[in-house]
């Protein structure tokens, strides 16, 4: 396993722990198809949430949100729509896309509704 994969997995674990402590029920992780890749899918209250996880050594250069460009936003939206179409039981929940930045110092920053 590449070192970057290990770092990414560790960051994702930290975000899952954070989400669990903050009222999210994790539904799926690393959902992949030919058309999409979604890091974490959870429910929280009235929302069905996709959380895109970004590891950053520091908040320089825009932190985690700065790492999500227009192409990534388009792929997240399209992928989430496809996943929701395949998982109709969540149709009553309001969809939301968040971005989580996991920093080297252990800090987790969640930007809710980061993608409209």
């Amino acid at each position: 396993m590449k070192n970057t994969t290990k770092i990414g997995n560790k960051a994702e674990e930290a975000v899952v722990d954070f989400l669990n402590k903050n009222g999210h029920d994790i539904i799926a992780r690393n959902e992949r198809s030919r058309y999409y890749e979604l890091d974490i899918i959870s429910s929280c209250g009235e929302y069905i949430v996709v959380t895109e996880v970004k590891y950053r050594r520091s908040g320089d250069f825009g932190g985690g949100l700065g790492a999500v460009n227009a192409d990534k936003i388009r792929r997240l939206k399209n992928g989430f729509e496809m996943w929701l179409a395949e998982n109709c039981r969540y149709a009553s929940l309001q969809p939301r896309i968040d971005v989580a930045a996991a920093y080297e110092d252990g800090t987790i920053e969640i930007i809710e509704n980061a993608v409209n």
Side-chain angles (χ1 to χ4, degrees), residues 1-10:
M1 186 180 297
K2 294 194 316 192
N3 195 35
T4 54
T5 303
K6 286 182 186 178
I7 291 170
N9 289 342
K10 185 176 177 185

Side-chain angles (χ1 to χ4, degrees), residues 17-74:
D17 290 344
F18 182 89
L19 292 174
N20 279 327
K21 289 176 186 168
N22 286 280
H24 288 251
D25 292 317
I26 305 303
I27 295 167
R29 292 178 57 184
N30 298 310
E31 282 289 302
R32 286 174 172 72
S33 82
R34 179 176 168 192
Y35 304 104
Y36 61 81
E37 178 181 335
L38 304 173
D39 291 339
I40 302 168
I41 302 168
S42 62
S43 62
C44 184
E46 65 193 44
Y47 295 99
I48 181 81
V49 183
V50 163
T51 303
E52 175 68 14
V53 178
K54 294 295 181 188
Y55 171 79
R56 291 289 171 257
R57 289 188 182 181
S58 71
D60 297 345
F61 309 109
L65 189 55
V68 181
N69 61 26
D71 183 54
K72 183 64 175 180
I73 289 169
R74 179 185 54 76

Side-chain angles (χ1 to χ4, degrees), residues 50 52 65 68 73 76-77 96-100 110-116:
V50 163
E52 175 68 14
L65 189 55
V68 181
I73 289 169
L76 279 169
K77 285 180 174 182
R96 186 177 85 199
I97 299 175
D98 296 352
V99 174
I110 304 283
I111 300 119
E112 290 184 355
N113 211 26
V115 176
N116 296 333

Side-chain angles (χ1 to χ4, degrees), residues 83-116:
W83 187 89
L84 286 169
E86 297 164 2
N87 294 274
C88 311
R89 63 186 172 273
Y90 300 107
S92 65
L93 297 175
Q94 181 70 33
R96 186 177 85 199
I97 299 175
D98 296 352
V99 174
Y103 294 99
E104 188 172 48
D105 67 1
T107 304
I108 304 291
E109 176 186 21
I110 304 283
I111 300 119
E112 290 184 355
N113 211 26
V115 176
N116 296 333

